Amino acid sequence: MIKYTLSVFLCLTLISSAFSQKRIEPATEDITLANTLKELYPDDHVALITSKDDVSFDLNKRDGKVTVMHHVAENMINIDSRADIQIYNFYDGESTIEEFEIRYRNQKEASFYVKDEAYTSDDLFHNDSRVQYANIDFPLKGYRYLTSIKKEYKDIKYFTKLYFNGEYPTVKKTICIEVPDWLDLELKEMNFEGYAIEKNVNPNKKGNGKIYTYTLKDTPGMYKDKSAPGPTYIYPHILILAKSYTVNDETVNIFKETQDLYNWYKSLVNSLENDNTPIQSKVKELTENATSDEEKIKNIYYWVQDNIRYIAFEDGIAGFKPDEASNVFTKRYGDCKGMANLTKQMLIEAGFDARLTWIGTKRIAYDYSTPNLSVDNHMICTLFKDGKTIFLDGTEKFNAFGEYADRIQGKQVLIENGDDYILEYVPNSEAEFNKEQFAYSLKLSDNNIVGNVDKIYNGESRSGLLYYFNSLKTDKKDEFLEYYLNKGNSNIKVSNIETSDLQNRDGNINIAYDVDVKNAVSSFDNQVYIDLDFDKELSNFIMEERHTDYIFRSKKDLESVTHLEIPQGYKISHLPENISVASDNFNMSVNFSRENNVIIYKKQFRIKHAKIETSDFEEWNGFIKKLDALYNEQIILNKD
């Protein structure tokens, strides 16, 4: 009965809204503006005529925390024949939404139902985030709505940055930040280069603070490129660095220096109980028969990788505070912080010097010179052993001891060190560390290509394959290997597969097998046409309609060498031309040659820094087009 009543209510609300909208026709100038904006932003359905952020600060004297009121007012216009969108705002235990209003252009309230729900995500096991949202429709081109959302942050440390770009293109974006004299706040301007951002600083009306006003016109929406860098690299934004506040001549530090950020993190760590009794027997089991310290460390590290399921966990302060090691051990799951703490405590029980370590992955542009909660998004464990610093990330399944995922390579880390801290950097690896080496030894058999193949996987190419392979059910592993090797192509028959130990992450993966390929050879009169490439790596990998760099999951280094025996009585009539390209970010080449009665087909693809920059696109696309043409070209043999 309740559900029925709610459904009727929602239906009546939508009908009422639709009738109300029909009474407010778009103004002529709004239709003209919509047409102009559609020409500028053809891929968008909605634009913002104006978007203004007003930010102010207050002091909650009861708990000594600086609060933030963030008010966003937007004038939205439909630039298509019609549009249906959702407006929303998230909040959690550290914030509240004080106002969520939608009005027509004549300031009358629009009758849209604003929902308030717990936010759920497949990536988060538990979180206290909630979302308020409304589904709104624009029935005509030029139709406008005015929205107003006010959000209060209970503690300024959770208010970290303000972007100029949003979901929709904006004719005029304004950010006004009123900073009272008692608050020491740095507004760090990030990625402003190349943007005509106007900045003004004026005293507020009461004369007890300053108002910083930033204005940017004709701002596109955030790009929807896949595999793009994190937004902190791309878009102009203001990083909010709350340093301290002064009241009654007493100054209270917030995050004035990196030490303050560390002190807050450490206070959360110090509140942990960490009763290691439940883990002691497992540590003994993993170490008592080990013949070296390295074997003990590996046994513990790999046990965490293999037995603790990674699930992100965000719930108020738990978004920053690690879970107790015993809880993670007992439950057999945890987030990065809980897994790092378990790794640390198990290593301590085994007699090693292990520390919790904060780090921002490569998705974040900042380092610890900017003390702010958005500087990091991950936690790992650091081991100090024999003068060496070794990083351990239990969330990276099948990463070998001493190897690091590309997403943290080169990133600065904050390592706990009692009341102090240590700053270090995760080492970088070259692309060849992830080398894939493929060797094909082939010959013709009637209209088939047959032979044997050897493949070697190193580094992240190895750990990625191990992860997927070991995530499958036991009875699916043989099928997976066949499918992986023939790429689901029914014309390629794979048999007699032999592999190295697919449980061992310390060595390279070696896979050897026989191959029989149908429909790759055709004969006409005295000529034989051969399609030699089965893999066609990077085929159609064109960078089209992108505005941002393309970021790979890891650096790439492929070397593939195919030897094809020329049948007796035949000679080469045609080989495709060699192609190559070299730049700062990639070196790639494809070469054909002949040695005695063997055609040698060699591919070398190296993506040095796991990225292709926008400045590379023209050169990259030129090579890929040549590569695709080469893949479609056949080797031709003539009968003597």
Side-chain angles (χ1 to χ4, degrees):
M1 183 63 183
I2 294 174
K3 290 183 179 178
Y4 175 78
T5 303
L6 181 58
S7 299
V8 172
F9 170 75
L10 290 176
C11 182
L12 291 173
T13 299
L14 292 173
I15 292 172
S16 173
S17 173
F19 277 106
S20 297
Q21 291 174 30
K22 290 178 181 178
R23 292 198 296 267
I24 309 174
E25 296 293 328
T28 302
E29 58 268 24
D30 288 338
I31 296 174
T32 301
L33 176 60
N35 288 328
T36 301
L37 291 173
K38 187 62 179 178
E39 291 181 6
L40 290 172
Y41 307 106
D43 297 329
D44 290 285
H45 306 294
V46 171
L48 305 181
I49 299 174
T50 59
S51 175
K52 185 179 181 184
D53 291 60
D54 280 298
V55 180
S56 60
F57 306 93
D58 201 355
L59 179 63
N60 185 336
K61 295 181 179 179
R62 288 174 298 180
D63 59 13
K65 293 180 180 178
V66 177
T67 61
V68 184
M69 181 60 73
H70 181 201
H71 178 208
V72 180
E74 296 182 330
N75 185 347
M76 313 181 80
I77 185 170
N78 176 30
I79 62 176
D80 260 342
S81 57
R82 67 165 290 117
D84 299 284
I85 68 169
Q86 187 176 88
I87 58 174
Y88 53 88
N89 204 291
F90 293 96
Y91 67 103
D92 53 30
E94 297 295 334
S95 58
T96 57
I97 294 180
E98 301 296 319
E99 178 180 289
F100 196 115
E101 293 183 350
I102 307 167
R103 297 183 180 274
Y104 299 120
R105 64 181 174 87
N106 62 0
Q107 294 293 340
K108 288 187 178 181
E109 184 178 353
S111 302
F112 289 108
Y113 182 64
V114 178
K115 296 183 180 181
D116 190 319
E117 295 180 355
Y119 174 70
T120 58
S121 168
D122 293 338
D123 298 326
L124 299 176
F125 174 70
H126 180 69
N127 77 96
D128 71 341
S129 293
R130 296 189 64 85
V131 59
Q132 286 191 16
Y133 68 96
N135 297 311
I136 68 175
D137 60 292
F138 295 81
L140 298 168
K141 180 179 284 190
Y143 210 87
R144 290 197 287 125
Y145 289 109
L146 308 174
T147 66
S148 176
I149 299 176
K150 292 182 180 178
K151 180 177 178 179
E152 183 178 26
Y153 292 82
K154 300 176 184 178
D155 190 337
I156 193 173
K157 65 168 62 78
Y158 298 103
F159 185 69
T160 58
K161 53 186 172 293
L162 291 164
Y163 283 98
F164 288 86
N165 304 74
E167 189 169 357
Y168 306 108
T170 306
V171 178
K172 182 180 179 181
K173 175 69 178 183
T174 306
I175 297 176
C176 291
I177 306 171
E178 184 175 356
V179 183
D181 291 337
W182 52 264
L183 178 63
D184 184 4
L185 186 77
E186 179 184 354
L187 303 176
K188 192 174 180 65
E189 300 168 359
M190 308 295 292
N191 302 332
F192 274 37
E193 300 81 4
Y195 293 90
I197 298 174
E198 181 182 334
K199 176 183 176 182
N200 290 295
V201 183
N202 295 295
N204 63 2
K205 291 182 180 179
K206 294 181 179 179
N208 60 355
K210 295 179 180 178
I211 298 178
Y212 297 78
T213 303
Y214 299 85
T215 305
L216 178 61
K217 295 181 179 179
D218 301 323
T219 310
M222 286 189 173
Y223 306 124
K224 297 176 177 61
D225 294 344
K226 294 182 178 179
S227 302
T232 54
Y233 290 94
I234 303 171
Y235 304 106
H237 61 282
I238 300 169
L239 191 62
I240 309 297
L241 300 179
K243 297 186 175 183
S244 65
Y245 68 87
T246 301
V247 60
N248 297 327
D249 296 325
E250 181 181 351
T251 299
V252 179
N253 284 353
I254 305 173
F255 291 153
K256 188 172 185 179
E257 299 175 344
T258 305
Q259 183 69 52
D260 298 313
L261 179 65
Y262 173 74
N263 290 344
W264 187 73
Y265 284 160
K266 194 66 170 67
S267 71
L268 301 179
V269 172
N270 290 341
S271 67
L272 298 176
E273 295 181 4
N274 279 326
D275 177 7
N276 289 345
T277 304
I279 70 175
Q280 289 172 348
S281 61
K282 175 56 69 174
V283 171
K284 181 179 179 182
E285 174 191 328
L286 293 171
T287 59
E288 61 183 350
N289 295 321
T291 58
S292 66
D293 282 351
E294 182 171 317
E295 186 179 353
K296 292 178 183 179
I297 295 165
K298 285 183 179 180
N299 288 349
I300 291 171
Y301 180 39
Y302 295 164
W303 185 89
V304 173
Q305 285 186 353
D306 294 342
N307 293 278
I308 304 301
R309 186 160 53 106
Y310 169 73
I311 306 178
F313 182 94
E314 295 182 8
D315 188 4
I317 203 69
F320 300 93
K321 178 182 176 181
D323 196 3
E324 273 82 3
S326 58
N327 289 341
V328 178
F329 177 80
T330 302
K331 295 181 297 187
R332 292 295 198 267
Y333 67 77
D335 66 357
C336 63
K337 299 177 295 296
M339 295 177 75
N341 191 36
L342 176 60
T343 305
K344 169 191 169 180
Q345 296 301 325
M346 292 182 78
L347 288 170
I348 287 175
E349 284 296 319
F352 298 105
D353 182 3
R355 321 271 186 93
L356 292 179
T357 301
W358 294 262
I359 182 173
T361 64
K362 282 190 173 179
R363 185 165 177 78
I364 296 177
Y366 318 130
D367 62 21
Y368 286 99
S369 64
T370 53
N372 179 291
L373 290 185
S374 62
V375 72
D376 47 41
N377 60 350
H378 193 40
M379 182 178 280
I380 59 178
C381 176
T382 298
L383 173 73
F384 291 102
K385 182 76 170 67
D386 300 330
K388 296 180 180 179
T389 304
I390 303 166
F391 302 104
L392 306 172
D393 185 352
T395 69
E396 292 290 346
K397 304 297 184 183
F398 292 98
N399 258 29
F401 177 69
E403 294 183 5
Y404 310 118
D406 188 80
R407 69 181 183 135
I408 66 171
Q409 288 182 24
K411 293 294 293 184
Q412 191 181 50
V413 295
L414 180 75
I415 306 171
E416 66 174 336
N417 188 38
D419 292 333
D420 201 355
Y421 61 88
I422 299 171
L423 293 177
E424 292 277 0
Y425 288 88
V426 177
N428 269 309
S429 297
E430 299 297 325
E432 63 182 343
F433 181 77
N434 301 325
K435 196 171 189 67
E436 299 173 75
Q437 295 171 287
F438 300 165
Y440 295 83
S441 181
L442 308 173
K443 62 182 179 180
L444 304 186
S445 177
D446 296 327
N447 285 328
N448 289 6
I449 297 177
V450 300
N452 53 73
V453 184
D454 288 287
K455 293 188 173 182
I456 302 174
Y457 299 85
N458 301 272
E460 291 198 70
S461 69
R462 177 208 64 224
S463 59
L465 177 56
L466 285 179
Y467 175 76
Y468 288 117
F469 179 76
N470 285 279
S471 66
L472 298 171
K473 295 180 180 179
T474 304
D475 59 349
K476 298 291 185 181
K477 291 184 177 180
D478 290 340
E479 288 181 31
F480 167 76
L481 275 178
E482 288 187 27
Y483 183 85
Y484 183 83
L485 296 171
N486 67 18
K487 292 181 168 56
N489 188 339
S490 60
N491 288 316
I492 302 175
K493 181 181 178 182
V494 172
S495 60
N496 300 323
I497 302 173
E498 296 183 0
T499 72
S500 56
D501 182 3
L502 295 182
Q503 300 295 327
N504 179 18
R505 72 207 77 194
D506 287 320
N508 301 326
I509 293 179
N510 295 273
I511 302 178
Y513 58 95
D514 295 333
V515 67
D516 188 332
V517 185
K518 297 185 296 183
N519 299 324
V521 180
S522 54
S523 301
F524 299 96
D525 297 328
N526 292 322
Q527 289 186 318
V528 177
Y529 298 84
I530 304 167
D531 292 317
L532 189 56
D533 198 307
F534 321 137
D535 297 321
K536 293 182 170 56
E537 296 91 355
L538 299 178
S539 177
N540 297 315
F541 210 94
I542 297 289
M543 298 297 158
E544 291 181 326
E545 299 181 358
R546 287 188 69 90
H547 301 86
T548 61
D549 299 348
Y550 186 95
I551 305 298
F552 291 87
R553 289 180 61 87
S554 61
K555 304 177 185 74
K556 306 288 183 183
D557 191 348
L558 168 71
E559 181 180 286
S560 174
V561 180
T562 301
H563 291 79
L564 175 67
E565 183 179 326
I566 302 172
Q568 189 171 1
Y570 283 83
K571 63 181 180 181
I572 300 171
S573 173
H574 174 75
L575 290 176
E577 291 187 6
N578 298 337
I579 59 174
S580 65
V581 66
S583 76
D584 291 339
N585 285 319
F586 50 84
N587 289 339
M588 301 190 289
S589 64
V590 181
N591 294 285
F592 291 86
S593 61
R594 174 180 177 173
E595 192 173 295
N596 298 322
N597 69 327
V598 175
I599 294 172
I600 302 173
Y601 171 45
K602 186 174 184 179
K603 291 181 292 185
Q604 290 184 302
F605 299 147
R606 178 175 290 184
I607 315 296
K608 304 176 193 176
H609 308 297
K611 67 179 178 180
I612 304 167
E613 298 181 35
T614 54
S615 58
D616 296 321
F617 284 178
E618 183 177 355
E619 193 169 27
W620 171 272
N621 289 342
F623 178 84
I624 295 299
K625 289 175 182 177
K626 291 180 182 178
L627 181 66
D628 287 337
L630 183 149
Y631 284 153
N632 290 322
E633 201 171 345
Q634 294 175 312
I635 294 173
I636 303 175
L637 304 181
N638 277 350
K639 194 169 186 178
D640 288 341

